[in-house]
Amino acid sequence: PESKTYGYVLDTPKHGWSGYDFLGRMKAWRDIPYFWTTDVNGAGWAEFETGAAKDAQNMVYLTVGTGVGAGIVSGGKLVSGYGHPEAGHIFLQKHPEDHYEGHCPFHGDNCLEGLAAGPAIEARWHKSAKEIPDGDKAWEIEAFYLAQAALDYTMILRPEKIVFGGGVPHRETLFPLIRASFAEQMSDYLDVPDLEDYIVPVANGDNAGILGCFYLAKTLL
Ligand SMILES: [Zn+2]
């Protein structure tokens, strides 16, 4: 609150938003308390409160859609430091049969978002994720990347639950593939919960983001 730019949007690739006095504009509209967080933190918090991770104290929520983002809860609190985490841009090892150049404007084919977000699937296979049938090689490669991300989160955070949301994981056949690839890549190194209970889809559906913001507001007011 002491900062001159408190409540301003910092540098962002989103057109027109860099340096925007968001809080000032909201306060001018209605002078009530404001808090803000990322959309994925909102959705992740909803999964933590009443969703797939409601019995966990430590969880990772990953959304895979037009981008990839994560909301992380550790010890019952959203993880944040100098800024919010960007766990969708972790660097990954490429699948040996994948020659796609990646779509992340910052990291190309080095990061999870560049390799596994919806637009990456579409650009790699020249059709949308919805048009790709179950059993296609595309899903094996997608699962390899999502499993690798789950593996990295497991190594660093040892969560009790990893929850996948967003448009791409609407494809239910992805889950057995992610779990199998996770087990193979983990190679029995760490003890994790039963994979059926560990790597799971969202329980709050697509309204999780707004629901989570409501729960967060209740904890802050
Ligand atoms: Zn990236």
Side-chain angles (χ1 to χ4, degrees), residues 52-71:
K54 65 180 190 299
D55 298 322
Q57 281 299 298
N58 306 281
M59 59 86 71
V60 176
Y61 165 80
L62 195 74
T63 179
V64 188
T66 52
V68 181

Side-chain angles (χ1 to χ4, degrees), residues 89 104 106-107 111 113-114:
H89 290 265
C104 178
F106 299 94
H107 312 121
C111 81
E113 179 169 305

Side-chain angles (χ1 to χ4, degrees), residues 122-183:
E122 192 161 342
R124 181 189 289 109
W125 303 105
H126 308 293
K127 51 186 150 181
S128 76
K130 281 199 183 85
E131 294 169 306
I132 300 171
D134 287 354
D136 195 281
K137 185 86 187 168
W139 298 118
E140 186 193 314
I141 290 178
E142 181 71 9
F144 172 81
Y145 292 130
L146 297 180
Q148 203 178 150
L151 195 85
D152 288 349
Y153 305 143
T154 300
M155 298 296 189
I156 295 169
L157 298 159
R158 296 305 297 275
E160 291 135 17
K161 208 67 113 173
I162 299 178
V163 182
F164 283 90
V168 175
H170 278 171
R171 183 67 61 119
E172 286 168 25
T173 48
L174 254 183
F175 284 87
L177 295 173
I178 298 169
R179 293 178 190 124
S181 182
F182 178 91

Side-chain angles (χ1 to χ4, degrees), residues 86 88-91 103-108 110-115:
E86 283 287 3
H89 290 265
I90 56 170
F91 280 31
H103 90 115
C104 178
F106 299 94
H107 312 121
N110 285 312
C111 81
L112 175 61
E113 179 169 305
L115 289 166

